[in-house]
Amino acid sequence: MSNSAQNLTSRRRFLGMGGLALGGLAVGPTLLAACGSDSSGSSSNNGGITMLNWPLYIEGDEPSTSPTLKGFTDSTGIKVDYKNSIDGNESFNTKYQATLEKGKGIGADIIVLTSWNAAAYIGASLVQPFDSAAFPNKKNVISRLSNPSWDPGRASSIPWAVGQTGLAYWPDKVGGKITDVNAIFDPKFKGKVTVLDELRDTVGLTMLGMGNNPSTGTVSQMLAAVDKIGKARDAGQFKKVTGNSYTEDLALGDTWIAVAWSGDIAQLQADNPGLEWVIPSQGGMLWVDNAMIPVGAKNVEGANKFLNYIYDPAVAGPLYESIQYIPPVTGATQYMTATAQASPFIVPPATPPLYEFDVVSADVAEEISRAFVAATEQ
Amino acid sequence: MTAAAAPSRFRRPRRDRGGEDTGVSARRWFTPWLLIAPGGLWLLVFFIIPLFSLGRLSLENGGLSNYSTVISDNSTVIIRTFVYATLSTVAAIIIGYPLAYVIATKGGKYKNLLLALVVLPFFVTYLVRTLSWKILLFDGGPVVSILHSLGILSESQGILGSPFAVVAALTYNFLPFMVLPIYVSLEKLDRRLLDAAADLYSSPARAFRKITLPLSLPGLFAGTLLTFIPAAGDFVNSELLGSERTVMIGNIIEKNFGKEFFRPELSALSFMLMAIILIGVIIYARLLGTEEIA
């Protein structure tokens, strides 16, 4: 328990702080970074592999102490230069996309991106297919994630982390249990609700409340949900439309109900036992960050072997128990403690269902994104 | 003899000056550039080039129409940003001027200690300073409970998320930038001018208006710029203490610059912000009559 509690600082929350600190500097340097040839991977990593991942996606704060990475090196002799350097899909694109589009390497053998972005990378051939001879364990991917429309048969992407978006609330403040997602629009809780500024989470949950399926919904259904969010915002329903900082108001008790990420609540509950986490009866949202091998990778075979190692259930079990995300590897839960097996954050119940937001085309994404910014910020 | 002496007397200095001239003037010509070079290069690489690239980016996709789009989409946010920045600057003057005045005139041997106290908050990270306000101002916190029991706020009202919280925090975070320049200009003020005014039967108030205030204008001007400009570009205070009703230009840029299709418009917004600030500063300088100081 104490070991997992240490690792509970959710990645998104962690990023919030860094994001704020760096945000002010973002404008100039990103433009320069776009022109420069930035290779943050060391080419001196002879025979080893370099992986760029999000923070808190491996055991411990310091990747060099990770039992998973050590186990891999011990069994294969391949060293892993693991970097917690991805702090957002958009910032990753700003930094690396142009280099990858030229077909050049970015000094990494494995990168990890969220589905909608991974789909764009696969569409633009910025990543390369897996080698099934070196990665036979690919078959262990859980069935619901085994065949996305944007990467049939998981030819070139494989889930690394799977998280949930649901509601967190204080039962003593809202007066009982909450199961309906539309509670976030209930006038009784006016000014006491926070929703996430990640449109795929907030719009997705709103669509579920309107009886629509966010995985298959039409553009007009998505826009209708954005409209509903905008009207509620104008009426003062939301305390805040925010990113990572929602956890602070929630912990202080100023927020009664929050659209929340599973990893954050797993951590907050350790200090606030009264705080409840629920996947609403209509369903919750699921997000997936996918590992891929970018073009220009120096050690493709090593990268395949590493993912193969992770997809061994005996390895995945302890890893996902430690980082507190749903394991995307079949059979991994058998290698977890009873406590972890009972955790709704690691093993969510079969119902209510979890939906992944539809991977829409770039044009549709822009249209919805603009509408969402207008509805929640401008 | 005299005829020969005269030219030599003339010639020698001339030759000396001439001889020196080439050396010194070359050095004179060279030295300033050499001294400017590191700073100039720094500005070129980290300011001019990004600015140029930002300007080019602001014209991509829609061209000049990016500017009109971004103004009409964000008019409320733009107005709000400048209202907040102005309010916090005025508040910083109201709080900061008397403070600087007292430290400079009555501080005595405690001057340095008092100045150190003004700067002390800077030893704590900006982020943590602002976050700690959350603990003070949250609905169940000490400030709100006192205001509730005094009946100043109704039970359903809070402070966090309100414009008041954001403006107050902006004021707090930039206050030292107001106090220090005012202090410097008051500190070097020649006291004999005030004695002279008193000798000429001027009231202290009149002496302040005619002598102290005008002579402290350069400090006030610098303090205003150092407060207003960062306040207008700030996003941390609104993000941490505000709500979606207190969104400032900085928040819009910070949240959306990563979205590729938004980048040209947001670059246009950045330029607008810069242009408005620049125009505002020029008008302000004219009004105060301190162009030469600026």
Side-chain angles (χ1 to χ4, degrees):
Chain A
M1 195 62 200
S2 65
N3 180 33
S4 53
Q6 267 181 358
N7 293 318
L8 282 177
T9 309
S10 105
R11 148 207 135 192
R12 288 177 194 247
R13 190 164 173 213
F14 176 87
L15 296 175
M17 294 301 114
L20 278 170
L22 294 174
L25 301 167
V27 176
T30 46
L31 292 170
L32 283 175
C35 330
S37 60
D38 183 304
S39 60
S40 59
S42 54
S43 49
S44 62
N45 192 6
N46 283 334
I49 58 168
T50 302
M51 173 165 192
L52 308 184
N53 209 345
W54 303 69
L56 307 165
Y57 269 12
I58 199 88
E59 306 99 326
D61 295 329
E62 178 50 54
S64 60
T65 63
S66 154
T68 305
L69 298 183
K70 186 175 182 300
F72 175 68
T73 306
D74 287 349
S75 68
T76 60
I78 300 172
K79 280 193 184 141
V80 184
D81 184 11
Y82 181 99
K83 295 180 169 145
N84 291 321
S85 64
I86 304 183
D87 61 3
N89 284 290
E90 287 162 350
S91 60
F92 185 90
N93 296 348
T94 309
K95 201 168 175 188
Y96 295 116
Q97 202 168 2
T99 314
L100 288 171
E101 274 165 2
K102 286 181 205 143
K104 289 184 187 158
I106 54 171
D109 301 298
I110 304 176
I111 56 175
V112 179
L113 297 172
T114 310
S115 294
W116 59 269
N117 204 24
Y121 275 58
I122 291 169
S125 300
L126 306 183
V127 294
Q128 43 187 313
F130 294 128
D131 169 9
S132 42
F135 188 5
N137 286 342
K138 197 173 76 141
K139 65 176 189 324
N140 292 341
V141 63
I142 52 175
S143 61
R144 74 163 294 163
L145 297 176
S146 63
N147 198 20
S149 60
W150 44 272
D151 186 23
R154 287 286 177 188
S156 38
S157 74
I158 200 79
W160 180 275
V162 185
Q164 311 163 61
T165 310
L167 301 181
Y169 66 98
W170 292 98
D172 52 334
K173 299 222 154 99
V174 299
K177 281 218 169 292
I178 280 181
T179 51
D180 188 336
V181 72
N182 287 316
I184 58 175
F185 296 107
D186 189 333
K188 265 197 301 189
F189 310 129
K190 187 179 166 189
K192 300 293 181 188
V193 178
T194 61
V195 298
L196 291 167
D197 58 9
E198 289 285 338
L199 81 91
R200 284 170 183 81
D201 294 311
T202 299
V203 174
L205 284 181
T206 306
M207 286 175 76
L208 287 170
M210 296 168 90
N212 299 322
N213 181 336
S215 302
T216 57
T218 63
V219 177
S220 60
Q221 287 172 343
M222 293 173 186
L223 290 173
V226 172
D227 193 48
K228 184 174 181 180
I229 294 164
K231 291 210 170 86
R233 179 234 184 174
D234 292 342
Q237 175 69 17
F238 303 134
K239 179 178 193 65
K240 245 177 150 179
V241 181
T242 179
N244 310 279
S245 62
Y246 80 96
T247 52
E248 295 147 17
D249 295 278
L250 187 63
L252 290 169
D254 277 11
T255 301
W256 294 0
I257 309 176
V259 171
W261 285 310
S262 52
D264 289 334
I265 306 308
Q267 182 188 20
L268 282 184
Q269 279 186 338
D271 295 328
N272 305 278
L275 188 67
E276 284 284 332
W277 160 258
V278 66
I279 293 296
S281 56
Q282 293 97 332
M285 298 303 294
L286 188 80
W287 45 264
V288 182
D289 287 342
N290 305 273
M292 299 180 289
I293 303 176
V295 293
K298 291 231 164 57
N299 191 349
V300 175
E301 197 198 344
N304 275 292
K305 279 185 177 162
F306 179 66
L307 292 173
N308 191 58
Y309 182 77
I310 297 292
Y311 264 71
D312 177 347
V315 172
L319 171 64
Y320 288 93
E321 172 164 357
S322 170
I323 64 175
Q324 298 257 323
Y325 287 103
I326 304 172
V329 183
T330 310
T333 45
Q334 290 163 22
Y335 296 91
M336 291 181 182
T337 61
T339 325
Q341 285 173 4
S343 161
F345 304 111
I346 298 173
V347 187
T351 56
L354 295 167
Y355 299 89
E356 196 177 3
F357 199 86
D358 191 13
V359 174
V360 292
S361 70
D363 287 347
V364 173
E366 177 176 341
E367 188 182 358
I368 301 168
S369 187
R370 280 181 182 278
F372 189 69
V373 169
T376 59
E377 291 175 37
Q378 288 165 341
Chain B
M1 290 286 263
T2 46
S8 76
R9 216 184 326 140
F10 275 107
R11 207 179 298 131
R12 193 182 297 159
R14 213 190 298 154
R15 197 177 47 218
D16 283 356
R17 209 190 296 134
E20 248 171 47
D21 260 353
T22 43
V24 168
S25 79
R27 241 180 293 147
R28 269 195 195 139
W29 178 89
F30 204 67
T31 315
W33 290 105
L34 210 64
L35 290 172
I36 289 173
L41 206 66
W42 181 270
L43 279 180
L44 179 75
V45 173
F46 292 108
F47 181 67
I48 307 285
I49 294 176
L51 199 67
F52 179 74
S53 113
L54 201 65
R56 227 179 33 183
L57 191 59
S58 78
L59 296 172
E60 266 177 27
N61 296 348
L64 279 175
S65 74
N66 285 340
Y67 284 81
S68 51
T69 314
V70 93
I71 296 173
S72 61
D73 283 356
N74 296 291
S75 51
T76 332
V77 178
I78 294 172
I79 294 168
R80 183 188 294 136
T81 301
F82 286 100
V83 169
Y84 285 8
T86 308
L87 286 176
S88 60
T89 307
V90 171
I93 293 175
I94 293 172
I95 300 167
Y97 197 100
L99 181 63
Y101 185 84
V102 169
I103 297 177
T105 58
K106 316 273 188 238
K109 61 177 175 174
Y110 297 113
K111 253 183 204 172
N112 288 337
L113 176 71
L114 291 170
L115 277 182
L117 288 177
V118 170
V119 184
L120 194 64
F122 277 72
F123 287 87
V124 177
T125 322
Y126 184 35
L127 207 57
V128 173
R129 260 185 289 149
T130 310
L131 277 172
S132 61
W133 269 53
K134 249 191 147 131
I135 297 160
L136 282 178
L137 298 182
F138 81 103
D139 287 358
V143 177
V144 174
S145 351
I146 292 171
L147 293 177
H148 279 169
S149 54
L150 291 175
I152 294 170
L153 284 180
S154 75
E155 280 302 319
S156 63
Q157 282 176 309
I159 295 180
L160 275 188
S162 68
F164 173 79
V166 178
V167 172
L170 283 172
T171 308
Y172 161 71
N173 274 318
F174 297 118
L175 187 62
F177 292 115
M178 181 65 82
V179 174
L180 294 178
I182 296 179
Y183 167 81
V184 169
S185 62
L186 286 174
E187 153 82 350
K188 66 181 184 203
L189 186 130
D190 189 345
R191 290 317 184 69
R192 290 172 304 182
L193 293 172
L194 295 174
D195 294 341
D199 287 346
L200 296 170
Y201 300 102
S202 163
S203 69
R206 195 175 148 85
F208 175 80
R209 199 155 40 83
K210 290 281 181 190
I211 298 167
T212 312
L213 188 60
L215 287 176
S216 65
L217 277 185
L220 193 64
F221 181 78
T224 306
L225 294 192
L226 289 175
T227 309
F228 182 83
I229 296 172
D234 188 80
F235 67 92
V236 174
N237 290 283
S238 174
E239 167 68 26
L240 295 182
L241 304 172
S243 64
E244 88 285 344
R245 294 178 301 281
T246 65
V247 174
M248 297 173 72
I249 293 177
N251 300 87
I252 299 268
I253 295 174
E254 190 261 333
K255 276 194 177 172
N256 299 306
F257 200 77
K259 301 185 176 78
E260 213 174 339
F261 56 84
F262 254 130
R263 242 171 255 164
E265 286 166 44
L266 295 177
S267 307
L269 188 60
S270 306
F271 260 91
M272 292 257 325
L273 179 67
M274 203 165 78
I276 297 174
I277 290 175
L278 206 63
I279 292 168
V281 167
I282 291 171
I283 294 173
Y284 181 68
R286 296 251 149 178
L287 287 179
L288 272 188
T290 48
E291 303 97 313
E292 59 285 331
I293 296 145

